[in-house]
Amino acid sequence: QVRMVESGGGSVQAGGDLKLSCVASGFTVSRCEMNWYRKGPGKERELVSTINTEGATYYVDSVKDRFTIFRDNTRNVLYLQMNSLRTEDTAVYYCSADCRSELSGFMLKYWGQGTQVTVSS
């Protein structure tokens, strides 16, 4: 059974740091493209960062040089280190995985339940 559980969210003042974790089970994070999305109040859901199976990363411009995505393959955990947080980073953050099914060859997308990040001025 596939499961993704985020943690690490919370309330922090602007300029502070948080580290989000996403513990995955039922699949292998190193074999999937792993993503962090966020949805802020009154905003559309946004892709924040991606790490692919080869370790290449992507960041939306607004978080470049502040956020770092990485994974621990031995623990099957995805992380998002968020530094120098801004009020506009306030959102629910979701981890997701894009995995190719070994049975069908189709791409499957899995989601976590989200974790709230609130940045105050």
Side-chain angles (χ1 to χ4, degrees), residues 3 10 23 36-37 39 59 67 86 103 109 115-116 121:
R3 193 173 184 211
V23 178
W36 286 99
Y37 287 81
K39 189 177 189 310
Y59 300 94
F67 290 11
R86 304 169 181 170
L103 293 178
K109 195 169 188 77
T115 185
Q116 176 70 47
S121 58

Side-chain angles (χ1 to χ4, degrees), residues 43-120:
K43 298 180 181 180
E44 297 289 322
R45 185 175 64 195
E46 175 184 44
L47 175 62
V48 176
S49 185
T50 294
I51 182 167
N52 69 12
T53 56
E54 297 178 351
T57 58
Y58 159 83
Y59 300 94
V60 68
D61 285 346
S62 60
V63 309
K64 281 181 181 177
D65 300 323
R66 299 189 299 123
F67 290 11
T68 303
I69 189 171
F70 60 102
R71 60 181 180 231
D72 184 330
N73 294 339
T74 59
R75 297 185 176 185
N76 216 38
V77 180
L78 176 72
Y79 298 97
L80 186 68
Q81 177 67 48
M82 305 187 297
N83 297 334
S84 303
L85 283 161
R86 304 169 181 170
T87 55
E88 55 264 38
D89 295 318
T90 295
V92 178
Y93 285 71
Y94 301 89
C95 61
S96 81
D98 297 307
C99 308
R100 187 171 297 281
S101 168
E102 294 182 0
L103 293 178
S104 67
F106 294 140
M107 292 299 293
L108 304 174
K109 195 169 188 77
Y110 306 121
W111 290 92
Q113 84 289 350
T115 185
Q116 176 70 47
V117 171
T118 302
V119 184
S120 59

